Amino acid sequence: MVFDVDMIRGFYASFAGKVAQVRDSFQRPLTYAEKVLFTHLYSARDLRPYQRGEEYADFRPNRVAMQDATAQMALLQFMNAGKDRVAVPATVHCDHLIRADVGAEKDLQTAAMTNKEVYDFLHSVSRKYHIGFWGPGAGIIHQVVLENYAFPGGMMVGTDSHTPNAGGLGMVAVGVGGADAVDVLTGQPWELKVPKLIGVHLTGHLTGWAAPKDVILEILGQLTVKGGTNAILEYFGDGLDSITTTGKATICNMGAELGATCSIFPFDRNADEYLCKTGREEVAVMARQHAADLQADAEVYADPATYFDQVLEIDLNKIEPHLNGPFTPDAATPISQMKAKGPANDYPMTVEVGLVGSCTNSSYQDLARAASVARQAYEKHIPVKGQLIINPGSEQIRRTAERDGILEDFRRIGALIMANACGPCIGQWKRHTDDNTRKNAIVTSFNRNFRRRADGNPNTFAFIGSPEMTTALAIAGRLDFNPAVDTLTDVNGNAAKLDEPTGFDFPPKGFDHVDVQPVENVADPSKIEIVIRPDSERLQKLEPFAPWDGKDFEDMPLLIKTKGKCTTDHISMAGPWLRFRGHLENISNNLLMGAVNAFNGESNKVKDQLDGQYKEVSSAAKDYKAHGMGSVVVAEDNYGEGSSREHAAMEPRFLNVKVILAKSFARIHETNLKKQGMLALTFMNKDDYDKVKEDDRLSVIGLQHFEPGKTLTVVDRHADGTEDRFEVSHTYNETQIGWFKAGSALNTLKK
């Protein structure tokens, strides 16, 4: 079944003409990313060459996707917009709230009971506003989108940072906060800073144990978690031929770890085959007819340095399996170097658990290749040292993998098959361990490995690898095991070697298709009542934030000065806190609880200037709010890295934090702060960060003349009566300044 086929037909009917208009306006050849971006401008009148990385443009995406944890806040905001139905096709996917505990069947039953209130809310909102609803167990949002909704040349936004997964099928797919999604859902312009373009030239082909995952792990090592900020990575070259669509999706998925706006691959025979194998032959036919426009112009490929802001050269022949980590996805280590690097860095070398799945690596091909490694352990009588946990990407994949014996290959070596959900990847893992204080190592095929992310344990060293390497290392039980050269010992004491992984790209018998129709035809949607209990601990109606009072922010106490990495996991933890994603007041109790206080090196322990006591960050913020005071957060580089969760912006806004002053921001989080009417300011001189002391009061001067490109002044008054003054910059444009003055972007929309 082809969902939203009328929309897709209309898109392709006008695509060639729009590309020609863009080329005529730019008066030069176009990259593929430019073709997709600028054929989606909100108004054709705005068509012109934009200054990349500097100017903003308004776009009109084709669709919106939301996962259940972020959909709650997005839809609570949409309900306040006064619309009868969504303006573009949209879907909700129930994948984040399912706990990974004892196995798929019981875990789904538990999720259905414990999350009933939230699922009922999401289902009723979906029915009322004509949104597709994929219930618990249907699959992980990005895999379901790739299998059912993604199409070459399209543009989508999703309330999850790994929305760029759909770039594997040729989409500009961007992770956003809920307020951005509401813009698209209501038919308003969606604003985006026009990205820079990084061309990634792939040559050669992957060999041996190397997998598509290792391509992005290598790039992360080169560019770091900030290297793709406000940029699109566009892949090209003859190396594309040997990478399947799901492999390309993996690469695009983890482009989010670079801070990239998104990543994209052109339409090719692999994309054509994937569309056909997943039951979308009609889309494949339309894409073939526009194949020349679903890639960059020939002149771009002939001289990429002229058209891209940066070009990376990646020889796939030289890529070897990687383990990235711990604690950050850009700490890249080729497996051949782990024998030396592990002990030198005091890594725990015993692999206790291998986790295969997540939105990054849960396709049929991923599971088939990993299963070929598991099968060898069984057939060669090799004892399995670590635990192995599997999360299939969708019900279609699970059913097909079950039919084809793939899941049985895992079970035969003791693996636990979890639900088709995010599970450990998003902290929804009830890990059964004997000692949480022991340093330990896990290997995952997930995309993030921040401290505490998978199991809540700060002593867990998480490393990212491909599904096949994750399986091999769980079998070996060693972090430094290199299956290309090392041997294991079978039950008889003989040396045994694992052969290179193999597996079909597509199931030989075809997919065991799941017959679904997620959008329900409701006779009279206006009669559907959306019930939110006044005493609910899970859901809470949103009240508008107050508009700016027209005055400077003066004499605000420092709430916390964070030290080092401060991701959205640190600002608004997931795991057990996911249950409060629809209740702003309750989830605000976790505000910045994972951030490290620069003055004492501890987490969730800050000084309340009103009583001099050390307490939780949220408690101090509540005290200031109760006394009618705003407060300030000071941070280092790339503040808000990671997940798109807008709760990390809404919580400080709710607790009356007025300003986030950082050395630099991650793209999605900076936008989320702006959308909620907060000030996201940047040190012009990063050394000024060092001037801020624990008992300081800060003022932001010049807000009456808040203008694009114009600096503001911070007055930092110390406890001894002295003060420092320094200039701070911002990236607000006129529209975003309007959001600040109105109190939020949603307030502006309601006007």
Side-chain angles (χ1 to χ4, degrees), residues 303-485:
D303 184 18
T306 298
Y307 301 97
F308 293 104
D309 298 289
Q310 181 181 355
V311 177
L312 292 182
E313 296 286 345
I314 304 292
D315 183 354
L316 299 180
N317 296 308
K318 297 180 180 179
I319 295 289
E320 67 169 293
H322 277 58
L323 286 182
N324 282 27
F327 310 133
T328 183
D330 59 349
T333 303
I335 189 64
S336 61
Q337 298 177 18
M338 189 55 79
K339 281 185 172 64
K341 187 173 180 179
N345 288 276
D346 197 27
Y347 296 158
M349 300 305 290
T350 298
V351 175
E352 297 191 12
V353 187
L355 299 144
V356 174
S358 88
C359 64
T360 324
N361 278 115
S362 55
S363 68
Y364 183 88
Q365 180 192 29
D366 290 324
L367 296 185
R369 286 176 61 86
S372 75
V373 179
R375 193 180 312 121
Q376 292 181 60
Y378 178 80
E379 294 175 347
K380 296 182 180 184
H381 307 292
I382 301 171
V384 178
K385 301 292 181 62
Q387 183 185 20
L388 193 60
I389 294 175
I390 312 295
N391 282 86
S394 69
E395 178 60 11
Q396 177 169 272
I397 290 171
R398 187 206 65 78
R399 284 170 52 165
T400 307
E402 189 74 84
R403 181 200 66 193
D404 293 351
I406 289 173
L407 298 187
E408 185 58 27
D409 285 329
F410 289 123
R411 291 193 189 98
R412 289 193 303 181
I413 64 167
L416 185 60
I417 310 300
M418 294 293 189
N420 315 317
C422 303
C425 185
I426 191 60
Q428 287 285 65
W429 181 21
K430 187 176 181 180
R431 186 174 177 186
H432 301 273
T433 181
D434 59 340
D435 184 4
N436 276 330
T437 65
R438 181 188 66 249
K439 283 173 59 174
N440 72 97
I442 64 174
V443 179
T444 83
S445 72
F446 303 163
N447 38 44
R448 294 203 172 122
N449 57 350
F450 304 143
R451 194 185 293 270
R452 294 187 176 95
R453 182 173 176 94
D455 60 0
N457 185 353
N459 301 301
T460 296
F461 287 55
F463 295 84
I464 303 172
S466 68
E468 42 269 65
M469 280 297 296
T470 297
T471 304
L473 269 61
I475 292 169
R478 292 284 301 173
L479 200 61
D480 56 1
F481 173 67
N482 184 352
V485 296

Side-chain angles (χ1 to χ4, degrees), residues 172-246:
V172 164
V174 183
V176 298
D180 270 358
V182 170
D183 284 345
V184 183
L185 291 171
T186 56
Q188 301 299 308
W190 172 60
E191 183 189 67
L192 178 71
K193 182 178 284 187
V194 175
K196 293 184 178 181
L197 299 178
I198 300 175
V200 185
H201 185 207
L202 301 183
T203 57
H205 63 278
L206 297 169
T207 59
W209 283 81
K213 182 67 158 247
D214 299 303
V215 177
I216 189 60
L217 296 180
E218 167 68 23
I219 293 173
L220 271 158
Q222 292 189 30
L223 293 183
T224 78
V225 292
K226 297 186 292 183
T229 303
N230 290 321
I232 292 178
L233 273 69
E234 179 175 333
Y235 291 83
F236 65 97
D238 58 22
L240 273 60
D241 292 341
S242 62
I243 303 177
T244 64
T245 292
T246 52

Side-chain angles (χ1 to χ4, degrees), residues 3-4 7 61-67 71 74-75 78 85-93 122 125-127 129-134 141 145 149 156-159 181-182 184-186 517-520:
F3 296 115
D4 310 314
M7 179 270 286
N62 303 109
R63 68 174 310 106
V64 176
M66 297 165 279
Q67 40 93 337
L75 294 177
F78 177 79
R85 62 178 291 164
V86 292
V88 299
T91 49
V92 169
H93 304 261
L122 293 174
V125 175
S126 296
R127 296 178 70 233
Y129 296 111
H130 204 74
I131 298 170
F133 181 79
W134 294 74
I141 176 173
V145 166
Y149 296 108
M156 67 175 288
V157 298
T159 59
V182 170
V184 183
L185 291 171
T186 56
Q517 182 54 269
V519 178
E520 297 181 33

Side-chain angles (χ1 to χ4, degrees), residues 720-751:
D720 61 4
T722 63
E723 65 180 38
D724 285 296
R725 286 175 174 257
F726 45 85
E727 297 299 294
V728 293
S729 60
H730 64 85
T731 61
Y732 288 73
N733 59 28
E734 291 286 2
T735 299
Q736 296 164 347
I737 291 172
W739 300 340
F740 167 75
K741 291 180 177 179
S744 70
L746 187 59
N747 288 355
T748 304
L749 174 63
K750 290 173 70 175
K751 288 182 179 179

